[in-house]
Amino acid sequence: MSKAGALDLAAGVGGKIDKSEVLSAVEKYEKYHVFYGGEEEERKSNYSDMVNKYYDLVTSFYEFGWGESFHFAHRWNGESLRESIKRHEHFLALQLGLKPGQKVLDVGCGIGGPLREIARFSSTSVTGLNNNEYQIARGKELNRTTGVDKTCDFVKADFMKMPFPDNSFDAIYAIEATCHAPNAYGCYKEIYRVLKPGQCFAAYEWCMTDSFDPNNQEHQKIKAEVEIGDGLPDIRSTGKCLEALKQAGFEVIWEKDLAVDSPLPWYLPLDPSRLSLSSFRLTSVGRFFTRNMVKALEFVGLAPRGSQRVQGFLEKAAEGLLAGGKKEIFTPMYFFLVRKPLSDNQ
Ligand SMILES: C[S@@+](CC[C@H](N)C(=O)[O-])C[C@H]1O[C@@H](n2cnc3c(N)ncnc32)[C@H](O)[C@@H]1O
């Protein structure tokens, strides 16, 4: 069962980090970022430490607010947030043309919400690749509860150096995960290597759009807020991602920023003017309650010291994402479907 209670949140802060070391992990994590004097090169060369600290610190907050799938979604009028999240996952399965029995890889799988949904939707065996031990432990528990553990598994490894032989998978997808890579080319090239020839890779990538102006200080501030709030070394442009895919050897079938024609904006759950009972914890009133609850839990010692600081950088993330979405300088759903040619000379 999903751990979505206040005490689960408190107990989970820090993930695999010793509870007495949560505050110092928060301080170390923050120092990687611009607001605390951190630099891009340092974030890139220490990406593994930076990203793992981030997910150890935030996973229980994510589960409390989002449930089992940690991503945004294209959304129609009349669709609930949960429905749109599932449809966003089904869309990938459909684009990849998944067939029963196929062997699929989920790159950067979180606690496996999309993995369980896609595996059940398409009758495939999905392997979740993730570098965070705490998330894998949660994912295994949830797979057992749902019975998906018979056909799906998790592998703890870095997506920049995957422990799989060449040409292993029938299809590969990634949802809002490869943005954590220190360089897109290195990550896409690994995906290319483990994908069978003639087969497809589809993803939702976090990107700065063409409206982003690197010389605009407000744009830079928004980008830095998203980076600190979401554990990212440097958010790439859509153009850079596309270039890296081609450089890795992929043939591009189609690509599009799905945020452009989403009838309801993806950032709606974070908009302070919105009230929703079904996703109350994500609204600004819900976040106000969470903030005070975490403060109280930390005060009485049920949540480790540093928990409020984690809530603090997650608030920064929400502000940056909302501003980036409204200004259309950032998207969490640059979609692409690409194929590995049958032979390298094709
Ligand atoms: C925003 S979460 C998305 C999780 C999942 N795709 C979902 O939608 O629920 C990003 C995920 O990427 C994983 N990740 C980040 N860097 C990684 C790396 N170098 N190797 C493997 N996984 C990584 C994180 O641990 C986290 O699970």
Side-chain angles (χ1 to χ4, degrees):
M1 257 209 1
S2 179
K3 287 190 178 175
L7 291 178
D8 295 320
L9 187 164
V13 182
K16 289 281 174 192
I17 300 169
D18 190 279
K19 297 298 169 210
S20 62
E21 284 166 21
V22 168
L23 182 58
S24 85
V26 173
E27 283 163 355
K28 280 186 197 137
Y29 171 75
E30 286 174 339
K31 286 210 177 91
Y32 278 121
H33 292 276
V34 172
F35 294 106
Y36 295 83
E39 290 185 1
E40 184 185 320
E41 277 321 306
E42 211 192 328
R43 289 196 293 282
K44 285 185 172 168
S45 47
N46 295 292
Y47 71 94
S48 198
D49 180 62
M50 193 261 294
V51 178
N52 257 324
K53 275 203 172 60
Y54 175 78
Y55 281 108
D56 274 330
L57 294 170
V58 305
T59 297
S60 70
F61 281 89
Y62 271 38
E63 221 180 319
F64 182 77
W66 286 94
E68 296 178 27
S69 291
F70 300 163
H71 62 83
F72 291 99
H74 173 281
R75 189 164 164 198
W76 292 94
N77 287 309
E79 202 173 34
S80 72
L81 178 63
R82 299 269 169 252
E83 285 166 347
S84 68
I85 285 177
K86 281 188 191 284
R87 186 177 50 74
H88 207 58
E89 293 166 1
H90 297 168
F91 182 79
L92 281 186
L94 188 73
Q95 289 302 313
L96 287 167
L98 298 185
K99 306 276 182 308
Q102 281 188 327
K103 219 172 145 240
V104 181
L105 181 67
D106 178 331
V107 177
C109 64
I111 61 168
L115 172 151
R116 284 179 288 282
E117 187 59 34
I118 290 178
R120 288 178 294 197
F121 180 73
S122 59
S123 300
T124 49
S125 296
V126 188
T127 297
L129 179 76
N130 193 339
N131 213 15
N132 186 275
E133 212 180 311
Y134 175 72
Q135 289 196 336
I136 291 206
R138 284 292 300 128
K140 283 187 174 166
E141 207 175 318
L142 292 163
N143 273 14
R144 270 194 303 273
T145 324
T146 44
V148 169
D149 61 327
K150 311 282 181 299
T151 48
C152 298
D153 60 357
F154 291 96
V155 171
K156 187 198 170 302
D158 184 347
F159 55 43
M160 303 301 288
K161 10 183 191 319
M162 301 187 195
F164 308 116
D166 296 356
N167 311 328
S168 297
F169 295 95
D170 298 304
I172 302 185
Y173 67 86
I175 306 180
E176 303 185 14
T178 42
C179 48
H180 291 289
N183 81 79
Y185 168 75
C187 177
Y188 296 158
K189 191 76 198 163
E190 258 311 78
I191 291 173
Y192 182 95
R193 181 182 71 74
V194 302
L195 183 62
K196 291 182 185 169
Q199 301 300 109
C200 290
F201 165 46
Y204 297 120
E205 193 62 91
W206 278 32
C207 288
M208 302 316 292
T209 68
D210 289 345
S211 305
F212 172 71
D213 173 5
N215 300 314
N216 178 321
Q217 287 205 334
E218 197 195 353
H219 287 191
Q220 279 293 4
K221 179 172 168 275
I222 292 171
K223 179 173 177 278
E225 278 174 347
V226 178
E227 285 166 354
I228 188 172
D230 295 279
L232 303 171
D234 172 45
I235 312 173
R236 291 171 277 269
S237 66
T238 50
K240 276 256 162 65
C241 289
L242 189 60
E243 198 183 297
L245 285 164
K246 291 179 186 164
Q247 206 191 347
F250 285 111
E251 170 194 321
V252 179
I253 300 173
W254 74 284
E255 44 82 35
K256 184 181 174 173
D257 175 8
L258 300 185
V260 170
D261 58 9
S262 179
L264 291 177
W266 60 266
Y267 51 81
L268 195 64
L270 308 173
D271 196 323
S273 59
R274 170 193 156 270
L275 261 181
S276 159
L277 285 181
S278 60
S279 50
F280 174 72
R281 287 170 180 177
L282 296 175
T283 61
S284 59
V285 184
R287 295 208 306 270
F288 172 79
F289 276 113
T290 308
R291 195 180 317 134
N292 285 301
M293 182 190 82
V294 170
K295 193 172 171 184
L297 289 169
E298 185 172 330
F299 184 75
V300 297
L302 283 171
R305 279 179 66 221
S307 301
Q308 284 182 81
R309 292 266 287 269
V310 178
Q311 166 81 15
F313 63 69
L314 287 174
E315 288 280 339
K316 244 195 177 61
E319 282 162 28
L321 289 165
L322 183 65
K326 282 193 165 165
K327 289 188 179 300
E328 299 178 357
I329 59 171
F330 167 81
T331 178
M333 51 189 74
Y334 174 54
F335 169 83
F336 52 76
L337 175 67
V338 297
R339 180 165 35 220
K340 174 172 175 176
L342 274 171
S343 77
D344 279 343
N345 344 324
Q346 249 186 319

